[in-house]
Amino acid sequence: MEYAKPNTILLVEDDRQARLRIHEYLEGLGFEVIESVDAKAALDLALSVNPDLILMDLSDDDDLDFIYRIRMENELSGIPILASSSDGARGIDLYSNIEKFGDQSIGYITKPISVEELSDQLLLMGIGSR
């Protein structure tokens, strides 16, 4: 019997505790989780892994630039991105610049991330199932 490959999520999170908690939760749901601590390293990782979703913290000024660079890479341009932040201004920045990211799926979730809201967002983005 052949099994389907699990969805791969690239988790970009600089906070070790948050990264560990989210990683464990996603693995418990059956996802393969690849980690990066910052957006600069995440671009090369995304190119090599080609994840099904990028879940990223918007904690740095480079993070919106990272989203734009992902959208400019042909092989990565259609990957859904779920951004998170405890700073509401980062979410406003994301949606204020949404037109430069194209028509691809971009979602936003506030921190601290609740597992229920994360699960709902994953389903809305077509990643995994309940």
Side-chain angles (χ1 to χ4, degrees):
M1 184 183 300
E2 190 172 316
Y3 292 95
K5 172 183 159 281
N7 289 103
T8 301
I9 297 177
L10 173 55
L11 174 60
V12 185
E13 171 62 62
D14 61 344
D15 181 272
R16 183 182 177 278
Q17 286 299 103
R19 193 173 60 249
L20 179 63
R21 186 175 53 83
I22 295 166
H23 185 130
E24 287 177 351
Y25 176 72
L26 292 172
E27 273 191 342
L29 293 177
F31 294 104
E32 179 182 352
V33 182
I34 309 298
E35 294 183 7
S36 179
V37 296
D38 63 46
K40 290 177 184 174
L43 183 60
D44 289 335
L45 195 53
L47 284 164
S48 68
V49 173
N50 197 9
D52 299 296
L53 173 86
I54 297 171
L55 173 57
M56 65 176 297
D57 177 36
L58 293 178
S59 63
D60 189 285
D61 291 336
D62 292 333
D63 294 336
L64 290 179
D65 185 52
F66 168 74
I67 294 173
Y68 180 73
R69 289 189 321 237
I70 288 289
R71 292 299 183 233
M72 295 299 103
E73 292 289 338
N74 286 335
E75 57 270 21
L76 303 177
S77 64
I79 295 174
I81 296 172
L82 180 56
S84 67
S85 178
S86 58
D87 179 357
R90 298 266 185 211
I92 292 169
D93 286 345
L94 175 69
Y95 285 115
S96 296
N97 291 287
I98 202 80
E99 70 282 347
K100 90 176 191 180
F101 303 129
D103 296 332
Q104 297 80 8
S105 179
I106 296 180
Y108 180 78
I109 187 171
T110 58
K111 282 183 154 183
I113 295 175
S114 81
V115 294
E116 294 84 12
E117 189 176 0
L118 178 56
S119 292
D120 290 345
Q121 286 292 327
L122 293 173
L123 288 173
L124 285 172
M125 299 183 110
I127 306 297
S129 62
R130 270 204 179 144

